Amino acid sequence: MANDQEIAPQFGHAMRSYFQFDASYIPLNHGAFGTYPKVVRDRLRYFQDLTESRPDDFFRFKLAGFVDSARGAIAEYLGVDEGECVFLPNATTGINTVLRSLVFEKGDVIVHFSTIYGACEKTVEYLKETTPVESAKILLRYPLGDDEVVAKLRNKIQALKGEGRRARVALFDTVSSLPGVRVPWERLVKVCQEEGTLSLVDGAHGIGHLRLDLGQVQPDFFVSNCHKWLYVPRGCALFYVPAKNQHLIRSSVPTSHGYEPYPIDGQEAVFNPLPINKGGYFVNLFQFVGTMDIGPYLCMEEALRFRQEVCGGEKRIMAYCEHVSNEGARKVAEILGTEIMENEEKTLTRCFLTNVKLPLRMGAEAGQIKPADGFAACSWMTQTLIREYNLFVPPFFHDGYLWIRLSGQIYVEIEDFIAAAEVYKELCSRVEKGEHIKR
């Protein structure tokens, strides 16, 4: 009997027929919003039609069973307990859920790296306005070795202790967004365990992208977008909280029917009009969080089936995506005459994202970009890519240089990266001529 890899289709452009792309579009930015196959789209529409056929019956009596089935599928995929997994619309909601649930006291500090996702950093800033918590940002200038990143976190936590403050929680990525590099998150969790700090892992680029041994690593809180790399429709994210920490999550965001206020003598309990899930308080909190399209959550089993039966399984997917991302980036760097962001241990590129430096010089001389015009150059390139070239590869600043981030996926080939390199070569020439400030 043939194994999965023998019967699976060839990755690359042959896989485009399984997805919904415009025939002329070059999709090299899967890491931003993801996408999903046609069979998963069909499953999504099935659940949307089922919802609309009998809305009250669906939301009141059928929804819980469907969601439980999806939770069971993702729990089995990850090798963790079903009661520790719930769904949210996106990773940002999960980060907010944890940070807004913790009760902060004077002297408490949220520790994070400078590469934190922007929306999460703004959440931290908001909490500093509304609670006693402070924050401590650790500067990362890539390329850095994993040992340096781990040491920076430990040193910061210990320094805070020496100042009489407490690193209440440390927030860090599995794979950071910009730059797109693999973070030694497993080792960072261990640091937190040894130093008595809660670990909050932003795994937006996690599930379907990296092997996640959650049961072994045991982060205190872990959230990961399923709509980025797992081929589930937007928006759907896994929120994993080990049973030992679930008492810290008192409410969903926003608070909904599953929340149970602490009883107060003489005060009548608030009525919950929906059936109670037997999975316990944590599961019930997230069973129904306001009326919205739950269809993406319910596509979990179909997405996992596609990955296994059509693609040949996780190892095959991950091997190809990492390979095409790395080889494609080498071609891009060669064409642009620049370099890939990588450290000596070659760990930054052990993922599906790669970063290549652009051949643009910052400065005040002719042909150089004035530092004050840098963001204007990024904005102009971003818009011009879509309008004129029908592809998208995001440019970004890091440590004084302009870079681009490329995404590997089963439906792209090296020639797509070459095409992007030629486009960026032309764009950089146009920027050097000042076109980005002539609009």
Side-chain angles (χ1 to χ4, degrees):
M1 182 176 178
N3 62 38
D4 289 336
Q5 293 196 21
E6 290 172 341
I7 63 175
Q10 185 69 32
F11 287 159
H13 290 165
M15 294 302 298
R16 287 181 64 114
S17 63
Y18 289 90
F19 293 85
Q20 305 169 70
F21 298 115
D22 182 285
S24 62
Y25 186 67
I26 301 177
L28 282 171
N29 191 32
H30 189 101
F33 304 108
T35 192
Y36 49 95
K38 295 173 184 176
V39 293
V40 177
R41 173 203 62 192
D42 294 343
R43 192 63 173 165
L44 173 65
R45 291 179 180 173
Y46 164 79
F47 280 114
Q48 290 171 333
D49 289 344
L50 184 65
T51 303
E52 299 314 312
S53 66
R54 294 164 58 103
D56 286 282
D57 183 32
F58 182 85
F59 280 108
R60 293 178 184 275
F61 304 113
K62 291 182 175 168
L63 176 62
F66 287 133
V67 173
D68 284 350
S69 181
R71 288 193 307 106
I74 196 62
E76 181 179 358
Y77 172 85
L78 293 169
V80 297
D81 187 81
E82 179 181 329
E84 299 176 324
C85 300
V86 294
F87 293 122
L88 301 170
N90 50 63
T92 304
T93 300
I95 299 300
N96 271 263
T97 300
V98 173
L99 293 181
R100 293 170 188 265
S101 293
L102 297 177
V103 179
F104 294 110
E105 301 174 353
K106 185 175 177 57
D108 284 350
V109 180
I110 300 171
V111 180
H112 64 83
F113 294 109
S114 58
T115 50
I116 185 175
Y117 184 59
C120 296
E121 185 167 18
K122 288 186 176 181
T123 300
V124 173
E125 292 302 308
Y126 174 74
L127 289 170
K128 287 163 60 178
E129 293 180 7
T130 56
T131 76
V133 77
E134 302 172 75
S135 69
K137 182 191 295 190
I138 303 169
L139 179 63
L140 297 183
R141 289 178 173 169
Y142 284 104
L144 284 171
D146 288 355
D147 288 347
E148 294 177 84
V149 175
V150 172
K152 282 177 178 288
L153 178 62
R154 188 184 299 277
N155 291 342
K156 176 58 68 175
I157 293 174
Q158 292 180 347
L160 290 170
K161 289 180 181 178
E163 298 167 1
R165 296 190 288 168
R166 177 176 67 155
R168 181 77 167 95
V169 58
L171 168 58
F172 46 86
D173 303 297
T174 50
V175 175
S176 59
S177 178
L178 296 172
V181 297
R182 196 193 193 287
V183 177
W185 69 277
E186 302 96 332
R187 294 176 61 188
L188 297 176
V189 168
K190 186 173 178 59
V191 168
C192 291
Q193 292 167 344
E194 293 171 348
E195 298 293 340
T197 295
L198 292 171
S199 57
L200 170 53
V201 183
D202 181 355
H205 301 278
I207 194 167
H209 189 151
L210 304 175
R211 179 181 175 182
L212 302 172
D213 295 316
L214 296 182
Q216 179 179 343
V217 180
Q218 280 290 293
D220 290 304
F221 309 98
F222 184 94
V223 60
S224 186
N225 285 327
C226 301
H227 58 248
K228 282 190 183 287
W229 301 99
L230 202 64
Y231 308 148
V232 175
R234 295 173 290 274
C236 176
L238 164 77
F239 184 35
Y240 167 78
V241 181
K244 66 178 182 179
N245 292 328
Q246 290 179 5
H247 69 283
L248 296 172
I249 305 298
R250 287 281 298 132
S251 173
S252 59
V253 174
T255 300
S256 194
H257 292 299
Y259 172 68
E260 297 178 5
Y262 292 126
I264 299 176
D265 290 341
Q267 180 172 304
E268 186 177 345
V270 181
F271 174 64
N272 181 355
L274 301 174
I276 302 299
N277 190 295
K278 296 180 181 179
Y281 182 72
F282 176 70
V283 171
N284 204 58
L285 267 181
F286 299 93
Q287 190 71 64
F288 181 91
V289 186
T291 303
M292 62 179 181
D293 183 5
I294 300 294
Y297 299 179
L298 310 186
C299 293
M300 181 61 64
E301 291 162 280
E302 190 65 42
L304 294 176
R305 187 178 300 113
F306 176 83
R307 295 174 71 86
Q308 184 62 40
E309 297 181 2
V310 177
C311 299
E314 297 302 306
K315 288 183 179 179
R316 188 168 184 266
I317 294 171
M318 292 182 180
Y320 181 83
C321 291
E322 183 174 327
H323 169 78
V324 76
S325 176
N326 279 267
E327 291 303 311
R330 289 189 182 93
K331 282 291 186 181
V332 173
E334 179 182 311
I335 292 169
L336 296 180
T338 60
E339 62 185 277
I340 298 171
M341 184 181 290
E342 182 59 291
N343 58 22
E344 292 182 3
E345 303 95 324
K346 309 297 183 187
T347 59
L348 301 183
T349 57
R350 290 179 186 168
C351 61
F352 305 170
L353 298 175
T354 44
N355 311 273
V356 177
K357 185 184 290 186
L358 290 178
L360 291 170
R361 294 170 297 164
M362 308 296 291
E365 298 179 11
Q368 295 182 334
I369 303 175
K370 295 179 181 179
D373 294 333
F375 286 103
C378 275
S379 177
W380 178 82
M381 287 190 287
T382 297
Q383 296 178 48
T384 305
L385 281 167
I386 293 292
R387 286 200 310 257
E388 300 183 21
Y389 298 99
N390 207 22
L391 65 82
F392 193 81
V393 175
F396 65 95
F397 274 100
H398 182 74
D399 197 25
Y401 294 95
L402 272 168
W403 301 76
I404 55 174
R405 187 193 73 184
L406 302 133
S407 297
Q409 194 43 258
I410 61 172
Y411 49 70
V412 298
E413 295 182 2
I414 300 299
E415 68 180 70
D416 297 319
F417 290 79
I418 293 173
E422 296 295 347
V423 165
Y424 258 103
K425 191 173 183 179
E426 182 176 326
L427 279 179
C428 289
S429 176
R430 293 170 67 178
V431 168
E432 288 175 337
K433 295 174 183 176
E435 193 168 335
H436 62 293
I437 55 177
K438 294 177 180 179
R439 294 182 296 166

